[in-house]
Amino acid sequence: MWCYPKVIAHRGGGTLAPENTLAAMRCGFARGFRAVEFDVMLSADSVPVLMHDPQFGRTVPGHGRVCDTSAQQLARMDAGSWLGPQFAGEPVPTYEQVVHYCKANNIWMNVEIKPAPGHERETGRVVAQWTQRLFAAELAAYRAGGNDRTLPLFSSFSFDALAEAQDAAPQIPRGWLVDAIPPDWRERLSELAAVALHTNHKNLLPERVQAVRQAGYGLFCYTVNTPERARELLGWGVDAFCTDRIDLIGPDFS
Ligand code: G3P
Ligand code: MG
């Protein structure tokens, strides 16, 4: 069952700030959000950084691939100007920097493991290992009987990345991310010992919501950008969703 927040700021600050940056985290926080989703990819030197696209050109100017670029080089790149001059010079943050910011501000994290093509297993393993280190105190408290809302929730479209994360950090919970729910969802969730299914709301049918929840899993939808649709999905029994429109849908939306 879902024990996490209901409304989650997508990529940190939705459309209001450059995605997957510290400016985005600050923006979501300023709007009252205490729950974020962000994407994590590996640099050339295997440092987890926040990034959605495997290649430059959209949020970072220029050409080239994240997996061929070191974390130090990424830290000097401009991941903010594409959205507006007020964000110029906003760097690509490391996962570690963002975890520190979120923990310091009591923000819950849905960490989407976003491997560059061909790097699925390595990304799952490395992100899980970093997470074990960054959340060592929370994991110790959890093992001693604490609650797991202090831990992040991994998700990924890559089953292999999640399987690797399960192996490396079994106590960090996992949600499998799918564009459309496949017929073998029960088996796949069971293999991952997942706590939730994350899916595109556009392909979701109300009867599926009930089946997933009755099977004991949380159901999370991406990316819900109108209050009307958010209300409809919650009415179907969806547990949580992320949104780009943190200006229209607040953290306490119901
Ligand atoms: O984690 C939900 C959502 O972020 C998945 O899609 O492409 O926006 O990372 P994407
Ligand atoms: Mg994402």
Side-chain angles (χ1 to χ4, degrees):
M1 277 293 130
W2 187 262
C3 64
Y4 307 113
K6 183 171 60 179
V7 191
I8 294 150
H10 189 224
R11 305 183 190 175
T15 53
L16 301 188
E19 64 184 56
N20 289 319
T21 63
L22 279 165
M25 305 303 142
R26 288 193 292 270
C27 175
F29 182 78
R31 293 259 168 179
F33 279 82
R34 298 296 179 269
V36 289
E37 184 268 2
F38 53 78
D39 306 296
V40 178
M41 193 175 288
L42 296 187
S43 65
D45 45 346
S46 279
V47 177
V49 297
L50 266 65
M51 184 64 73
H52 183 276
D53 299 2
Q55 70 288 323
F56 305 130
R58 186 175 63 87
T59 63
V60 171
H63 303 282
R65 302 189 303 177
V66 177
C67 67
D68 295 330
T69 310
S70 72
Q72 210 175 32
Q73 287 172 296
L74 286 163
R76 289 197 294 265
M77 290 181 162
D78 180 355
S81 286
W82 69 276
L83 195 65
Q86 69 275 33
F87 299 113
E90 187 64 37
V92 176
T94 63
Y95 176 45
E96 183 173 21
Q97 288 171 320
V98 172
V99 167
H100 284 313
Y101 178 82
C102 290
K103 281 178 40 164
N105 290 288
N106 210 15
I107 299 170
W108 178 80
M109 289 160 261
N110 171 200
V111 177
E112 185 190 337
I113 304 172
K114 189 72 107 179
H119 296 258
E120 287 78 9
R121 288 197 168 272
E122 183 198 359
T123 308
R125 186 177 64 254
V126 172
V127 173
Q129 288 167 342
W130 275 82
T131 305
Q132 291 254 87
R133 282 196 293 273
L134 293 168
F135 289 86
E138 289 79 2
L139 277 165
Y142 172 63
R143 286 189 198 106
N147 85 61
D148 63 358
R149 268 171 292 184
T150 59
L151 299 175
L153 172 64
F154 287 149
S155 61
S156 188
F157 287 109
S158 168
F159 187 90
D160 288 347
L162 283 178
E164 203 69 32
Q166 177 184 11
D167 200 46
Q171 287 182 319
I172 304 293
R174 293 161 298 283
W176 187 36
L177 184 45
V178 291
D179 183 46
I181 299 176
D184 63 348
W185 62 271
R186 286 172 195 271
E187 292 76 15
R188 308 280 270 171
L189 289 175
S190 167
E191 269 181 78
L192 290 171
V195 300
L197 186 60
H198 296 213
T199 193
N200 189 339
H201 75 95
K202 292 181 180 161
N203 300 319
L204 187 62
L205 298 170
E207 50 270 28
R208 272 301 164 95
V209 178
Q210 292 315 318
V212 171
R213 295 189 77 238
Q214 274 163 16
Y217 299 104
L219 188 62
F220 169 104
C221 282
Y222 70 94
T223 299
V224 184
N225 290 335
T226 67
E228 296 72 27
R229 180 61 170 163
R231 212 161 278 125
E232 180 175 40
L233 291 165
L234 294 175
W236 290 357
V238 165
D239 292 293
F241 62 89
C242 62
T243 182
D244 286 324
R245 295 305 305 269
I246 65 171
D247 52 336
L248 297 178
I249 302 173
D252 301 319
F253 180 86
S254 58

